[in-house]
């Protein structure tokens, strides 16, 4: 990777040339090239001008662009660009033109630490914050002593961490993506999961996490009970990949505080947890009536919290009236939606919402299309896939006892149900 630039409109805000093999003026071709592609409807994440390739992402009102004249690893480049966004957001809270202009010195400091001669280096914001601060006076003092984490094999964790009470909180969070067609058939579904940690442990502990992983059970000759097949598994850099590949053991020295240990995908047929039936009737070009029935298709002992059913309505609808068997419904005219909110939705229950709107005209019906109904929810103490944390072993040379706490959460991801009308 040769150069990283942040661009707003037609102005280059920050430019860092790491290898010197790409002319700094090449970045001037990026914006005209992007506008040309937009006009042609051919926007592409990688664009070329002569022998120079531009790889870019957009965040808020900024473009972050990497330029190279070699056949670089595109996955690495994009991972780095998104990491830049993450680090800058940690530092400046909001990443936009003003925050870059107000923090030029810190941004250049960060760019120098994040990458060296085109190779990513220290990308953990917690470690960077130990020696790159936003106060100029502190910056000079901090520079005299570089934290050992930068030179350690364990660059993501500082030495000498102490807690009075040693604990680990494990969150297993699964998002369900479901697309149901107008006939009620599930067109596509999958589960995207992540395991997040909040670690409050003294010293340099070694942790081992055991899951009901089907591949592990097969390797060890056990195939009893419910197991899961995880695909597209991605780990935090702290996990020993060689160990996982050889015997599926998830072994690591954790970062202090909050972190995402791993993410995974489970490609399976998912029964929609909240089923929606809708009837939309239009009368004599003057009014529209909407009836929506929501049914919880999950275990009776579970409860979905903060459920939102978003029902699209015609853009010229007015004079809304609602009747609900539970929860509250409100009209959001700027989004052409009725949002039905249910704070607590027990499994196996059915609820009804009726809406009545005045309708001055029905001329634009065909032009507007038929947006789907979308649903948001969160179900604690429950996972659709059945994934389980079987054990968490915590080993530290001082021999202290530590408590692991596990919490399971299922939530909606891209959850859509198409309608006939």
């Amino acid at each position: 990777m040769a150069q990283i630039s942040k661009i707003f409109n037609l102005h280059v805000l920050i430019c860092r040339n790491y290898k010197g093999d790409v002319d700094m003026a090449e970045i001037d071709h990026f914006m005209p090239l992007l506008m040309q592609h937009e006009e042609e409807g051919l926007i592409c994440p990688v664009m070329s001008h002569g022998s120079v390739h531009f790889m870019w992402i957009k965040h808020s009102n900024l473009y972050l662009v990497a330029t190279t004249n070699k056949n670089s690893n595109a996955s690495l480049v994009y991972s780095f660009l998104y990491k830049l966004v993450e680090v800058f957001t940690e530092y400046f809270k909001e990443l936009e033109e003003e925050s870059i202009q107000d923090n030029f010195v810190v941004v250049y400091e960060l760019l120098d630490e994040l990458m060296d001669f085109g190779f990513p280096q220290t990308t953990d914001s917690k470690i960077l914050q130990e020696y790159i601060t936003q106060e100029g006076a502190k910056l000079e003092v901090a520079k005299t002593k570089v934290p050992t984490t930068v030179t350690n094999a364990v660059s993501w964790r500082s030495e000498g961490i102490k807690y009075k009470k040693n604990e680990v909180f494990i969150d297993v969070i699964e998002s369900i993506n479901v697309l149901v067609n107008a006939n009620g058939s599930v067109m596509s579904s999958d589960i995207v999961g992540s395991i997040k940690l909040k670690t409050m442990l003294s010293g340099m502990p070694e942790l081992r996490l055991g899951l009901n992983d089907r591949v592990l059970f097969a390797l060890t000759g056990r195939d009893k009970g419910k197991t899961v097949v995880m695909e597209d598994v991605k780990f935090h850099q702290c996990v020993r990949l060689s160990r996982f590949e050889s015997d599926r053991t998830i072994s690591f020295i954790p970062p202090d505080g909050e972190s995402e240990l791993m993410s995974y995908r489970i490609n399976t047929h998912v029964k929609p947890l909240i089923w929606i039936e809708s009837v939309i009737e239009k009368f004599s070009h003057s009014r529209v009536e909407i009836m929506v029935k929501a049914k919880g298709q999950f275990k009776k002992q579970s409860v979905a919290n903060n459920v939102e059913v978003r029902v699209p309505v015609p853009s010229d609808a007015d004079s809304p009236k609602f009747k609900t068997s539970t929860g509250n419904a409100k009209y959001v005219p700027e989004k052409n939606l009725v949002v039905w909110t249910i704070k607590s939705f027990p499994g196996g229950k059915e609820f009804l919402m009726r809406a009545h709107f005045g309708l001055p005209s029905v001329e634009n019906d065909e032009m507007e299309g038929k947006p789907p109904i979308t649903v948001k929810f969160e179900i604690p103490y429950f996972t659709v896939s059945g994934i389980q944390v079987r054990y968490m072993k915590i080993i530290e040379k001082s021999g202290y006892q530590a408590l692991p706490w596990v919490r399971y959460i299922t939530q909606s991801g891209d959850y859509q149900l198409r309608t006939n009308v």
Side-chain angles (χ1 to χ4, degrees):
M1 200 184 302
Q3 170 176 309
I4 303 290
S5 306
K6 277 142 290 298
I7 302 173
F8 172 71
N9 203 356
L10 298 175
H11 309 291
V12 177
L13 288 176
I14 293 269
C15 198
R16 181 70 177 87
N17 200 327
Y18 287 105
K19 297 179 77 174
D21 57 351
V22 174
D23 192 319
M24 297 282 273
E26 286 289 343
I27 197 65
D28 295 336
H29 299 293
F30 171 74
M31 236 19 223
L33 203 58
L34 180 66
M35 291 167 74
Q36 180 190 331
H37 280 231
E38 281 181 346
E39 284 173 10
E40 295 169 358
L42 300 169
I43 296 179
C44 180
V46 181
M47 301 185 296
S48 301
H49 179 266
S51 62
V52 176
H53 310 292
F54 301 100
M55 284 172 270
W56 62 280
I57 62 172
K58 187 177 182 182
H59 179 85
S60 188
N61 58 359
L62 299 174
Y63 289 96
L64 287 85
V65 188
T67 63
T68 181
N69 57 7
K70 294 184 172 59
N71 186 16
S72 299
N73 183 333
S75 297
L76 173 66
V77 174
Y78 282 108
S79 293
F80 183 77
L81 290 177
Y82 283 111
K83 197 70 184 176
L84 271 183
V85 172
E86 187 182 312
V87 169
F88 289 156
T89 305
E90 284 277 332
Y91 266 81
F92 314 131
K93 304 305 177 196
E94 294 290 335
L95 177 56
E96 52 192 20
E97 183 188 9
E98 290 76 14
S99 57
I100 295 294
Q101 289 174 334
D102 293 345
N103 295 280
F104 268 121
V105 175
V106 178
V107 171
Y108 273 118
E109 289 274 355
L110 287 170
L111 289 175
D112 283 339
E113 293 298 331
L114 286 158
M115 178 170 283
D116 185 29
F117 199 66
F119 295 99
Q121 300 295 312
T122 306
T123 58
D124 192 307
S125 58
K126 286 179 185 173
I127 303 304
L128 288 165
Q129 283 169 355
E130 288 186 24
Y131 62 105
I132 296 181
T133 68
Q134 284 167 277
E135 292 83 11
K138 286 186 181 177
L139 193 62
E140 295 306 313
V141 175
K143 275 186 175 177
T144 59
K145 185 181 177 184
V146 176
T148 52
T149 45
V150 178
T151 52
N152 267 359
V154 185
S155 62
W156 54 87
R157 186 180 178 88
S158 304
E159 291 181 356
I161 296 171
K162 289 183 181 178
Y163 285 98
K164 285 184 179 179
K165 189 177 182 181
N166 293 288
E167 295 178 303
V168 182
F169 296 89
I170 307 162
D171 280 351
V172 181
I173 302 168
E174 291 191 337
S175 297
I176 305 175
N177 300 322
V178 173
L179 175 60
V180 179
N181 71 9
N183 298 322
S185 302
V186 177
M187 302 293 289
S188 65
S189 65
D190 68 355
I191 300 165
V192 177
S194 67
I195 296 180
K196 296 183 178 181
L197 301 180
K198 185 176 181 182
T199 310
M200 295 186 288
L201 297 172
S202 305
M204 296 291 274
E206 168 90 19
L207 274 60
R208 287 179 200 157
L209 177 69
L211 304 171
N212 56 335
D213 175 10
R214 188 171 299 174
V215 178
L216 171 64
F217 277 45
L219 280 172
T220 54
R222 294 175 296 168
D223 204 2
K224 295 175 182 177
K226 188 168 172 90
T227 55
V228 295
V229 180
M230 295 182 292
E231 300 175 34
D232 300 337
V233 180
K234 294 174 191 155
F235 289 110
H236 187 279
Q237 61 177 331
C238 67
V239 176
R240 295 181 178 88
L241 291 180
S242 56
R243 182 83 188 269
F244 180 76
E245 286 165 3
S246 64
D247 61 10
R248 303 289 283 193
T249 299
I250 302 171
S251 170
F252 58 99
I253 295 172
D256 187 44
E258 295 181 5
S259 61
E260 181 174 283
L261 179 68
M262 63 181 285
S263 63
Y264 59 88
R265 185 176 62 84
I266 296 175
N267 194 5
T268 183
H269 177 80
V270 180
K271 180 182 178 183
L273 295 180
I274 294 181
W275 183 256
I276 302 292
E277 291 177 16
S278 64
V279 177
I280 301 174
E281 289 184 288
K282 291 173 183 167
F283 298 91
S284 63
H285 295 203
S286 62
R287 72 183 198 276
V288 60
E289 290 186 3
I290 301 169
M291 188 275 288
V292 176
K293 182 167 74 173
K295 182 180 180 182
Q297 298 192 137
F298 49 93
K299 293 176 183 176
K300 289 183 179 179
Q301 58 265 41
S302 295
V303 175
N305 296 328
N306 303 315
V307 177
E308 273 190 13
V309 182
R310 297 176 169 234
V311 185
V313 297
S315 59
D316 54 355
D318 60 19
S319 310
K321 293 176 185 175
F322 303 109
K323 188 177 181 182
T324 61
S325 59
T326 190
N328 297 300
K330 68 174 181 178
Y331 178 41
V332 186
E334 62 271 19
K335 294 183 179 178
N336 300 323
L337 286 175
V338 170
V339 180
W340 179 20
T341 306
I342 304 169
K343 283 192 175 181
S344 183
F345 196 135
K349 294 285 186 181
E350 279 187 16
F351 298 114
L352 203 64
M353 184 273 289
R354 294 181 185 275
H356 177 284
F357 286 90
L359 199 63
S361 69
V362 289
E363 303 303 319
N364 298 325
D365 237 18
E366 294 303 316
M367 292 175 65
E368 284 189 357
K370 300 172 184 174
I373 293 174
T374 59
V375 186
K376 287 187 175 183
F377 58 85
E378 186 176 278
I379 307 174
Y381 318 115
F382 171 76
T383 57
V384 188
S385 67
I387 194 169
Q388 290 177 347
V389 175
R390 293 172 48 243
Y391 62 82
M392 169 67 89
K393 292 180 181 175
I394 302 163
I395 305 157
E396 213 278 330
K397 61 184 179 183
S398 66
Y400 62 69
Q401 295 295 309
L403 294 170
W405 303 91
V406 184
R407 179 172 64 169
Y408 299 96
I409 300 169
T410 291
Q411 60 190 22
S412 56
D414 187 10
Y415 197 104
Q416 300 185 4
L417 301 99
R418 290 178 180 163
T419 59
N420 272 315
V421 289

